[in-house]
Amino acid sequence: MQINLTEMTQLAPIFRELFKGFHISRRDPELYSQLSNQQDAYRALFRSLGYELVCDTRGFYYFVPEQVGAQVNKTAQRLALFTFILVEHLADQGRDPLAVLDGGSIGRDELPPLLEKYRDLFLQAEVTTQEELEEKVMRRLTQLGFAAEDNGVYRFLPPIHRFLDVCLSVQQDRDLAANLHASEMQFTAPVLMEEDDEPVVILESYADQPVADSEDAIVVIDEPAAPAEIAEDESEEDALARAIAEEQADMETPA
């Protein structure tokens, strides 16, 4: 592919911003427009320099160099941690994290309670004071194009989705693990039969009873056995609770 450098009039500022880790979005109309119009040429040029230009369909550009310095990694870790903390904090407040991080904003006055609530996590990111939070996190968010600050209000820009995607993926993994754990603990509640119910056939395994042809014994119950000492005024809810408790006790009894 032939690259016409004379047509790449914004090459210098585009490269400078991307090299710093800045994310170019529609907030930067001149740079964004030229990248969009000459995307293939810019991608080929940057690839020859050892950089991979990425175009996110949500409307922003960034590139990934072949080697990323340790300081960049630490900054990315801080920003990802902050995004995760913010998602949980907003959810605890009953606010929609997606609505806030997808073009919404938070105020500077919300930072102190956030820092206090998640002090242990911020400590891992070497952030202990509000000044450090503003310097190491909020200022970097604005410098790299993830947010814009105006009179103490931080408005999030489309590139924040890079960190938000990671947070949502982690949350989905946590929810999946929780659901799997819950499903392992579930058991089917016994069916309470009314007096007019038809007889039932129950399949059940009996380790201490010999069975001729199968490990599963078929026990036919012609009439439901009347539980001993049941109060006449026992409600259906009480009966169900008692039956569940009895089943749990049977399961806990050693064979």
Side-chain angles (χ1 to χ4, degrees):
M1 176 182 181
Q2 285 190 330
I3 300 176
N4 189 346
L5 294 179
T6 60
E7 295 180 356
M8 305 171 78
T9 57
Q10 299 295 322
L11 174 59
I14 285 176
F15 181 78
R16 181 175 60 248
E17 295 304 313
L18 293 176
F19 181 78
K20 294 189 301 184
F22 188 80
H23 293 64
I24 297 176
S25 63
R26 292 185 177 88
R27 178 196 175 207
D28 317 286
E30 289 188 29
L31 305 185
Y32 183 83
S33 176
Q34 182 154 122
L35 276 173
S36 299
N37 294 333
Q38 302 185 53
Q39 180 174 295
D40 292 340
Y42 272 102
R43 180 177 286 123
L45 176 61
F46 289 142
R47 184 179 295 115
S48 68
L49 297 174
Y51 296 88
E52 186 66 27
L53 178 65
V54 178
C55 173
D56 193 286
T57 56
R58 288 165 293 198
F60 57 92
Y61 288 90
Y62 63 97
F63 63 43
V64 181
E66 291 182 347
Q67 295 182 346
V68 181
Q71 187 60 43
V72 175
N73 280 333
K74 180 171 288 188
T75 297
Q77 291 168 4
R78 283 197 186 106
L79 301 187
L81 176 64
F82 174 76
T83 307
F84 185 82
I85 288 174
L86 189 58
V87 167
E88 290 213 343
H89 176 67
L90 294 170
D92 288 345
Q93 290 186 327
R95 298 161 66 184
D96 183 0
L98 289 177
V100 174
L101 289 166
D102 193 10
S105 62
I106 62 171
R108 185 172 181 268
D109 59 335
E110 296 185 62
L111 298 181
L114 190 67
L115 177 63
E116 182 61 31
K117 182 178 180 181
Y118 296 95
R119 184 168 295 278
D120 291 342
L121 289 177
F122 277 118
L123 185 61
Q124 297 177 26
E126 301 176 359
V127 174
T128 58
T129 65
Q130 181 175 348
E131 289 73 18
E132 288 182 339
L133 177 56
E134 293 184 9
E135 177 68 20
K136 295 181 178 181
V137 177
M138 306 310 298
R139 190 170 70 88
R140 294 298 287 162
L141 283 173
T142 59
Q143 287 178 335
L144 297 176
F146 295 105
E149 189 268 339
D150 183 28
N151 293 325
V153 176
Y154 295 95
R155 181 172 58 86
F156 296 100
L157 303 173
I160 197 67
H161 278 279
R162 286 193 68 191
F163 295 121
L164 184 57
D165 289 345
V166 175
C167 296
L168 294 178
S169 177
V170 171
Q171 187 61 49
Q172 288 172 358
D173 290 343
R174 290 170 57 180
D175 293 343
L176 177 59
N179 291 335
L180 289 176
H181 179 70
S183 65
E184 292 174 357
M185 302 299 292
Q186 291 177 355
F187 62 90
T188 303
V191 178
L192 299 180
M193 296 181 60
E194 301 292 343
E195 292 183 0
D196 295 334
D197 282 346
E198 295 294 329
V200 297
V201 177
I202 302 175
L203 298 181
E204 191 171 0
S205 296
Y206 289 86
D208 56 347
Q209 295 185 13
V211 180
D213 299 324
S214 172
E215 294 182 358
D216 290 329
I218 301 179
V219 182
V220 180
I221 303 179
D222 294 325
E223 295 181 0
E229 300 181 1
I230 300 179
E232 293 182 358
D233 58 347
E234 183 180 36
S235 66
E236 183 177 348
E237 290 80 4
D238 292 339
L240 179 58
R242 176 180 49 74
I244 293 174
E246 290 175 356
E247 180 170 327
Q248 287 179 312
D250 291 341
M251 293 172 61
E252 295 171 357
T253 302

